[in-house]
Amino acid sequence: MTQRSVPVSRPAPFRRLALVGAISMLCFGAAQPALAQVVTGEVTDSSGDAVFEGAIVRIPELGVSAITDSRGRFRLNGVKPGNYTLTVSYVGAPTREIQIAVDADGLLLGAVVLGAGSDNQMALEEVLVTGQSAAMAGAINQQRAADNIKSVLDSDTMGQFPDQNVAESLRRLSGISVENDQGEGRYVVIRGMDPDLNSTSINGVRASASENRRAMQLDVIPSDVLDGLEVQKSLTPDMDGDSIGGSVNVKTLSAFSRKDTYFKARLEGGYNEQREDWSPKASVAGSNIFELDNGRRLGVAGALSWHDRKMATDNNEGDDWEIADNGNDYPESFEPRYYRLERERIGAVLNLDYDLSDTTTIFARSLYSSFEDTELRYGQGYGDLEPLSDDSVEARRTDFGFAEINMNTKDRVQTAETLSLSFGSESQWELWSLDTNVGYSHGEEDDPDVVNSAWVGEFESGSDGIADGTPVLSLNRSKAEEPVVESDYFDLLRNPEAYELDEIEHEKSLTEDTQWSFQFDATRQFENWELKFGAKARLREKENNEDADIYSGDDVFTIADVYDPGAASNYGFANVIDPLPSVGGVRDILRAGDGIEFEDIDSMIASAANDWVINEDVYAAYGMFKMFIGSLTLTGGVRVEYTDFSSDGNAVELFEEGDEFNGAELDDDLVVIDSISASRNYTDVLPSLNLRYDVTDEIVARAAVSRSIVRPLFEDVASRISVEDGEAEIGNPDLEPYNSWNYDASLEFYPSELSVLSAGVFYKDINDFIFLQTFDDFSFGGQTFDEATIAENGDSADVMGVELNYQQHFGFLPSPFDGLLVSVNYTYVDSDAEVNGRDISFPKQSDNIAGFVIGYEKYGLDLRLAMSYRDSYLDELVDEGLDRITDERTQWDFTAKYSVTDNWLVYAEVSNLNDEPEYYYAGNSSRVLQYDEYGTTTVIGVQYIY
């Protein structure tokens, strides 16, 4: 087929936005520094080698305060000439005070640096903590200092767990769980929200999704190349408004966040008990600041990570559950599967920061990741299962008189790539600041060479050597998740000559997601408040292209011609997957082309039905204020987002022989492919207000309210119609986005020791909930279909919950117990949604989410035992009593480290220590849909840090 590209038009709102942005930047560039009293400085350790982000700096006499940024810098505005007390508060250390003098020009007399020095400097040696306690301190202080509700993981925290990617790292935070793929975390679920209702950015630039959905695959980004992770749980007007669960920001290394040369290298090997093989991994990261001849500074930071992970999965899958006349249930299909996987991750970061002048820093930030997933899958599908009689369906055992057995293989190498680039500037004058950013993000998922094969044999009681009245096979479900196939006729069922080649499918597909963004943000400081405003254009193109060549068997080949007796010999469950063809033999048949017949009709439908291009451009502007009233900080305003949407795709319809087409009866099957398109635009007004009240220096109260949206899934809204036998699958470009009012309140207690105790409640009122529906006699686009599946907007959904979090370092206890630390979090979520008259819980929402960590750090030893738990949840809406449910899951992980010297560290890690499986069932836990076991992975490694 011919691939079409759709030109992207730039509507008038974009031109107006660009003009306003250009005028604003010219005005700011020409602005003269305003006269005002400003106190600036930076917070470092006593050696001056490390900076502290999230420290709160105050002048109590004036009631003004500031938060140190990632470079340890702070800025206090509106300070009149005089003598004052400056205080610095950082959880994990006593509050420090220094006397400062400000003259008439607003200059600070003396440097405000934490470290040993002269009278107008201060010492803060107690802040210097390392390892687990340092990681805890960094995250606690950033969360405490935030104006909104957020959770933080810094690079040290991520290094304390055996987490291989961003998704696995994030599950350590309160209220967050993950969706797994082949035992690895892939998508993040925030407060029970479907991953597609969250957003992900890299260095503040919206990330593109390589898969055919909005949620980004977070398993493609290795954790070794990162500097930290943030999860924003309440929105402010300067943030993109398209997230309901929360917004994840992935931060990469910056040289300016450190004061000295930094270098870290790791080398490790991991052993997976299921695969019985070793997986190598290596990473290196470093940064330095160069003093240039012109007196300016250039910061360079880079990281590189490589991991070749070998895994295997034992799998059972059941489907099409039926209830017999006697009330007992049974599956009409059951399939044991064995996966043999190899996943190679490459991650790279290169970041540059340059002090262009005393007031302006420019930067270039990048992240590249490549994820190559090699998969061999072997399956034995027992389909069209028919009970031998009504009485043969027992509570946990069924005898079947007929079975179509499908021996199948899948052989593919899939590559997912992500590239994020960010270029911008940060400028500060006395009362003004201006940030600009140009971002580029590209994600793609490429399946260039996928070969699937199916080999079918039919077996029936009373024929082919099977005695009449005896079962072909029985399914013993004494252990629900691991049904066992039993038969007196395995010599027939495992005969390679009994299975003829049914089909070979050769597929290729490419999904690409490209985004450009242009943004500026300006801030004007006043004595007790500040005004911020800005604009952003985000231009996005998402394209999906699939092609398939389908060949049917021509009664020539059986499995005996390409038999591989050991293909799935490592399958760990009780069933035996045999006989199987070799994947090399299947490819030989495909290359030769003999004994197979090309199916042009099926190939045309598969190649055109899901090809589409979507352009989604978002133009936004906002106004925002931050007001300081004593201990109260109010942050609020409104954001307006204009969405310009267009979609191009295909309407594919099959007319069979004998059907009438254009007034004539068809002599052969006919596929008609028409190009279709749609476009629309809409505007959303998104107000928000965040309140922070410092009850005391140790107690912080917060409240927030905001309105947000999430645009429909690309596949749901794409222009596409696929019709076969009167049944249609339809994309709906007229879908409205989800919209939600979000309410939050929390109370946080930060004792003088390194600890935090917090409790929060949240409520979300979600409207225009989107879900798939199936209709009979459905009219769409001038046609009426016998049956149609289409996404529709539904009624409202309510989500409410409670979050509890406790972290404590027991440094106040006598030795040796002063090395203990504990972290506990628990989230309860309750939801209610109505779909087709049914009351359901929100999809992907676990009622209970919990995490627990106990650690010990002393004498060079660093130990950590961690648990993550999520409750069962509704995974997919099917029919009442048969919905797909994901079972509850608890995973334990253990890490042990020992510092041989100040620079050298050895470590061992065990992930999935309790060998926890994944289980999915239909309605109740006795009906297996999918059951996977991945085994335990043990890692040993060495680290050098300078």
Side-chain angles (χ1 to χ4, degrees), residues 20 45 52 54 180 187 238 336 369 375 430 438 451 473 509 518 528 573 621 645 687 786 866 868 886 902 916 920 929:
V20 171
D45 67 343
F52 291 93
N180 287 339
Y187 297 109
D238 55 346
S369 69
E375 177 182 309
E430 279 79 358
V438 176
V451 176
L473 58 89
S509 64
F518 307 89
N528 291 310
F573 295 157
F645 167 86
D786 297 338
S868 59
T886 299
D902 290 342
E916 185 78 347
Y920 310 82
L929 289 176

Side-chain angles (χ1 to χ4, degrees), residues 705-888:
V705 58
S706 65
R707 183 177 182 269
S708 61
I709 64 168
V710 170
R711 296 170 182 89
L713 296 182
F714 292 105
E715 192 169 32
D716 289 346
V717 79
S719 296
R720 60 183 185 90
I721 302 174
S722 178
V723 186
E724 191 169 352
D725 297 330
E727 298 181 359
E729 291 187 6
I730 303 172
N732 185 1
D734 294 326
L735 283 173
E736 297 292 334
Y738 296 79
N739 71 85
S740 175
W741 279 101
N742 314 294
Y743 305 89
D744 288 90
S746 68
L747 191 64
E748 305 161 4
F749 175 47
Y750 299 91
S752 58
E753 297 295 337
L754 186 55
S755 60
V756 58
L757 179 63
S758 65
V761 295
F762 59 89
Y763 173 74
K764 297 179 182 294
D765 181 13
I766 304 171
N767 292 297
D768 292 324
F769 175 69
I770 298 173
F771 60 99
L772 285 176
Q773 295 192 82
T774 300
F775 299 95
D776 294 328
D777 299 322
F778 183 75
S779 297
F780 184 86
Q783 299 185 67
T784 300
F785 306 102
D786 297 338
E787 183 180 283
T789 300
I790 186 171
E792 292 278 309
N793 288 111
D795 296 324
S796 64
D798 298 322
V799 178
M800 63 185 69
V802 177
E803 286 183 319
L804 304 174
N805 181 41
Y806 172 60
Q807 298 179 58
Q808 178 72 65
H809 181 265
F810 293 91
F812 55 88
L813 294 179
S815 180
F817 305 105
D818 53 346
L820 284 171
L821 62 85
V822 169
S823 175
V824 182
N825 65 73
Y826 169 73
T827 301
Y828 172 75
V829 185
D830 182 50
S831 65
D832 180 45
E834 184 175 333
V835 175
N836 291 336
R838 289 181 55 195
D839 290 326
I840 63 169
S841 60
F842 206 72
K844 310 294 183 182
Q845 175 247 302
S846 297
D847 288 348
N848 299 282
I849 304 168
F852 169 75
V853 176
I854 183 168
Y856 185 81
E857 180 185 34
K858 198 170 184 180
Y859 310 117
L861 190 63
D862 196 337
L863 305 175
R864 183 168 292 209
L865 178 66
M867 181 274 291
S868 59
Y869 169 80
R870 59 148 175 77
D871 210 347
S872 59
Y873 61 80
L874 173 64
D875 188 54
E876 183 180 337
L877 197 65
V878 183
D879 290 311
E880 191 163 5
L882 293 173
D883 294 333
R884 182 181 175 93
I885 308 295
T886 299
D887 199 17
E888 64 180 2

Side-chain angles (χ1 to χ4, degrees), residues 450-582:
V450 184
V451 176
N452 301 308
S453 74
W455 308 69
V456 175
E458 294 185 354
F459 304 89
E460 186 172 7
S461 177
S463 64
D464 298 323
I466 301 174
D468 193 18
T470 63
V472 173
L473 58 89
S474 302
L475 196 61
N476 185 337
R477 295 164 46 222
S478 298
K479 188 176 181 180
E481 63 269 25
E482 293 185 41
V484 177
V485 177
E486 301 171 343
S487 178
D488 293 330
Y489 301 102
F490 277 133
D491 55 338
L492 295 175
L493 303 185
R494 296 176 182 165
N495 179 8
E497 295 182 351
Y499 297 89
E500 292 186 350
L501 175 62
D502 180 60
E503 184 177 273
I504 297 179
E505 186 173 9
H506 187 207
E507 301 175 328
K508 62 179 180 179
S509 64
L510 178 63
T511 301
E512 293 185 278
D513 188 1
T514 303
Q515 298 187 73
W516 283 94
S517 62
F518 307 89
Q519 178 178 357
F520 82 90
D521 303 273
T523 305
R524 170 64 159 87
Q525 302 284 345
F526 297 90
E527 184 172 348
N528 291 310
W529 67 289
E530 66 182 43
L531 175 66
K532 186 176 182 181
F533 58 93
K536 183 175 183 178
R538 196 169 84 231
L539 317 177
R540 186 172 196 173
E541 181 180 84
K542 185 94 171 184
E543 181 175 1
N544 193 70
N545 192 359
E546 299 179 5
D547 292 294
D549 293 332
I550 300 174
Y551 301 85
S552 60
D554 204 14
D555 301 325
V556 173
F557 293 106
T558 67
I559 287 182
D561 297 307
V562 288
Y563 182 41
D564 184 355
S569 59
N570 290 331
Y571 183 66
F573 295 157
N575 297 300
V576 176
I577 305 178
D578 188 62
L580 284 166
S582 72

Side-chain angles (χ1 to χ4, degrees), residues 40-57:
T40 61
E42 61 181 0
V43 179
T44 74
D45 67 343
S46 58
S47 67
D49 293 336
V51 300
F52 291 93
E53 180 179 2
I56 300 177
V57 183

Side-chain angles (χ1 to χ4, degrees), residues 195 232 249 269 353 365 410 412 534 610 654 689:
Q232 309 282 354
N249 185 35
D353 294 89
R365 295 171 184 147
K410 183 177 183 179
R412 61 112 162 123
N610 207 26
L654 170 64
L689 177 65

